[in-house]
């Protein structure tokens, strides 16, 4: 019998509280994680738009890194793993409450989680590999950043992205009833602004809208006793 390959580590399985919440709102403390990030603006549904290019770039780099264990450039601390799902932080130019109806005005940060062994050195190697394999690829807009999101309210949204408003209202109402207030647009310890957050568990190109599963997450903070007394 041949040597059995080690099972790939899957973040969705070991951190179910982050990727597989229930259909009822819940409070979760999201720890520090490492991401590849791309910032952009515009309609995510445009086939030739900035969003599509950013998605392709993030997956290209993520799979280059995940396959690095099979080559001569295996990073220190490498282990086999499943590439985590695409995620997005979303906001609007005037920083009003998130509204996905005017999609051309949306500002976003797309990101894919990376294992801790992905250092700046590994990141530079991966960008070089992608440029070598796909000449003309512009990797200049990709960042490797740590992000501590902290306390959040979240819930699984089932169905089209265009029906997220109802789920957003549920999680915001729940958090408020529990004594929390919105922390959207406040900075994380790394200086990243906390935003309306979506984790995409399906590929919309291959999944019918009614079957899409998306984690919707909003950053929150607890009211102080003084604020409670003056509320």
């Amino acid at each position: 019998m041949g040597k059995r390959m080690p099972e790939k580590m899957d973040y969705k399985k070991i951190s179910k509280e982050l990727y597989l919440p229930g259909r009822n709102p819940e409070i979760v403390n999201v720890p520090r994680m490492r991401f590849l990030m791309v910032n952009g603006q515009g309609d995510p549904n445009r086939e030739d738009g900035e969003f599509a290019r950013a998605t392709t770039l993030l997956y290209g780099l993520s799979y280059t890194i995940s396959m690095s264990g099979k080559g001569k450039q295996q990073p220190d601390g490498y282990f086999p793993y499943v590439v985590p799902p695409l995620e997005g932080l979303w906001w609007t130019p005037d920083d009003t409450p998130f509204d996905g109806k005017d999609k051309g005005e949306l500002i976003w940060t797309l990101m894919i989680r990376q294992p801790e062994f992905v250092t700046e050195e590994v990141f530079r190697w991966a960008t070089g590999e992608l440029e070598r394999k796909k000449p003309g690829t512009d990797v200049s807009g990709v960042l490797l950043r740590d992000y501590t999101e902290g306390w959040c309210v979240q819930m699984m949204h089932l169905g089209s992205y265009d029906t997220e408003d109802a789920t957003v209202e549920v999680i915001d109402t729940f958090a408020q009833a529990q004594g929390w207030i919105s922390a959207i647009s406040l900075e994380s310890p790394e200086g990243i602004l906390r935003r309306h957050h979506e984790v995409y568990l399906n590929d919309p190109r291959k999944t019918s809208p009614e079957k899409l599963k998306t984690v919707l997450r909003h950053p929150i903070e607890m009211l102080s006793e003084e604020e409670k007394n003056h509320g």
Side-chain angles (χ1 to χ4, degrees):
M1 294 179 66
K3 185 178 179 180
R4 185 176 179 181
M5 296 294 290
E7 184 176 355
K8 290 184 177 181
M9 195 275 288
D10 190 341
Y11 286 109
K12 296 191 301 299
K13 293 180 179 179
I14 68 170
S15 300
K16 291 182 179 179
E17 72 281 4
L18 301 180
Y19 299 99
L20 297 172
R23 290 286 292 127
N24 292 311
E26 57 190 45
I27 305 297
V28 62
N29 192 5
V30 185
R32 182 177 183 174
M33 292 183 281
R34 187 157 295 169
F35 291 93
L36 291 179
M37 296 181 169
V38 176
N39 297 312
Q41 182 171 357
D43 189 343
N45 296 325
R46 280 189 55 188
E47 291 186 8
D48 60 342
E50 202 174 330
F51 186 93
R53 291 192 293 272
T55 301
T56 299
L57 186 56
L58 283 173
Y59 273 117
L61 285 171
S62 295
Y63 279 106
T64 296
I65 294 170
S66 74
M67 297 295 288
S68 63
K70 296 184 177 182
K72 297 179 181 179
Q73 298 292 328
Q74 184 177 114
D76 291 340
Y78 176 87
F79 55 86
Y81 65 98
V82 178
V83 171
L86 183 72
E87 307 184 33
L89 305 177
W90 296 85
W91 65 102
T92 55
D94 55 1
D95 222 11
T96 54
F98 180 79
D99 183 352
K101 293 182 177 62
D102 192 358
K103 294 182 172 59
E105 294 296 313
L106 292 174
I107 307 171
W108 38 261
T109 297
L110 284 185
M111 54 196 201
I112 295 179
R113 184 178 180 179
Q114 303 297 309
E116 291 302 309
F117 70 77
V118 181
T119 60
E120 282 291 339
E121 182 181 0
V122 173
F123 173 53
R124 289 193 299 270
W125 170 83
T127 57
E129 277 293 288
L130 191 63
E131 288 174 320
R132 182 179 64 82
K133 292 178 180 178
K134 296 186 177 181
T137 300
D138 182 5
V139 298
S140 61
V142 187
L143 304 170
L144 179 67
R145 300 286 302 276
D146 285 348
Y147 180 37
T148 307
E149 197 167 17
W151 287 106
C152 294
V153 59
Q154 67 178 16
M155 177 176 161
M156 183 71 77
H157 173 75
L158 302 180
S160 169
Y161 303 133
D162 292 334
T163 63
E164 288 182 359
D165 285 358
T167 301
V168 166
E169 183 177 358
V170 169
I171 63 173
D172 285 348
T173 300
F174 174 81
Q176 185 175 12
Q178 300 296 314
W180 299 83
I181 59 173
S182 173
I184 285 178
S185 300
L186 298 183
E187 284 192 359
S188 75
E190 299 82 14
I192 298 171
L193 293 182
R194 300 164 74 195
R195 302 292 192 180
H196 171 94
H197 189 167
E198 302 182 355
V199 182
Y200 308 105
L201 301 178
N202 310 98
D203 185 341
R205 299 168 299 180
K206 304 175 182 177
T207 309
S208 57
E210 67 274 9
K211 294 183 179 180
L212 290 171
K213 292 183 178 181
T214 310
V215 181
L216 297 188
R217 185 182 296 158
H218 276 184
I220 52 176
E221 62 179 17
M222 180 62 74
L223 279 170
S224 67
E225 290 302 318
E226 182 178 356
E227 288 171 321
K228 288 179 183 177
N229 294 334
H230 288 83

